[in-house]
Amino acid sequence: MQQFHQAHTDMAGAFLYCAAPVIRALFPGAERVIFDRTAQDADPHQRPRFLRIEGAHGSPAATREDADALDREGQALLREALSEVYAAVVHWNAGAVPGPWPWCVHSTYGFQDGAAPPFLTTVTLPPEQAPAG
């Protein structure tokens, strides 16, 4: 069972290490990607919705409008990178284990206050340099 959990952890990290440089090339300073998973929580067939990219201390690095403003190639690159980030979320949810990883997947249920969706997933991207090993 430990190998199962370690495999999901390794896959989540691999997807994030592939996606992070692309996201940072499009939006310098990007540190976190936030998805709204409210619709998906109600119906697993729904896709999560990209909400925003944050920089240091929660500062906005990119909104959906910024993503939509990219040229065609940039939008395609971002779409692929976000798919990889969400693949990491899927592996994390399937059984990855928390640990001292340089990246993080964190899901929270919020309150319906009109400002934030009730189910968010925040993915902290790994640092710009891949770990040695």
Side-chain angles (χ1 to χ4, degrees), residues 14-27:
F15 277 114
L16 291 177
Y17 274 104
C18 287
V22 174
I23 293 170
R24 287 193 178 109
L26 294 169
F27 302 108

Side-chain angles (χ1 to χ4, degrees), residues 5-133:
H5 292 297
Q6 189 59 49
H8 278 297
T9 304
D10 293 346
M11 288 299 295
F15 277 114
L16 291 177
Y17 274 104
C18 287
V22 174
I23 293 170
R24 287 193 178 109
L26 294 169
F27 302 108
E31 291 189 12
R32 285 173 295 288
V33 177
I34 292 110
F35 292 99
D36 173 358
R37 295 178 56 200
T38 306
Q40 187 185 39
D41 191 41
D43 177 3
H45 293 94
Q46 296 290 321
R47 294 185 53 97
R49 189 171 74 92
F50 163 67
L51 208 55
R52 67 183 173 273
I53 295 173
E54 292 180 346
H57 310 291
S59 62
T63 61
R64 287 189 56 85
E65 291 78 20
D66 296 324
D68 292 342
L70 292 170
D71 63 20
R72 195 176 236 184
E73 183 180 341
Q75 287 182 4
L77 287 169
L78 182 61
R79 221 177 2 262
E80 182 66 30
L82 291 175
S83 292
E84 289 180 356
V85 171
Y86 199 73
V89 172
V90 171
H91 279 285
W92 182 261
N93 290 342
V97 290
W101 322 122
W103 47 268
C104 171
V105 175
H106 180 68
S107 294
T108 55
Y109 282 93
F111 297 99
Q112 191 65 29
D113 60 2
F119 185 30
L120 296 177
T121 294
T122 301
V123 181
T124 302
L125 300 173
E128 294 191 41
Q129 295 181 358

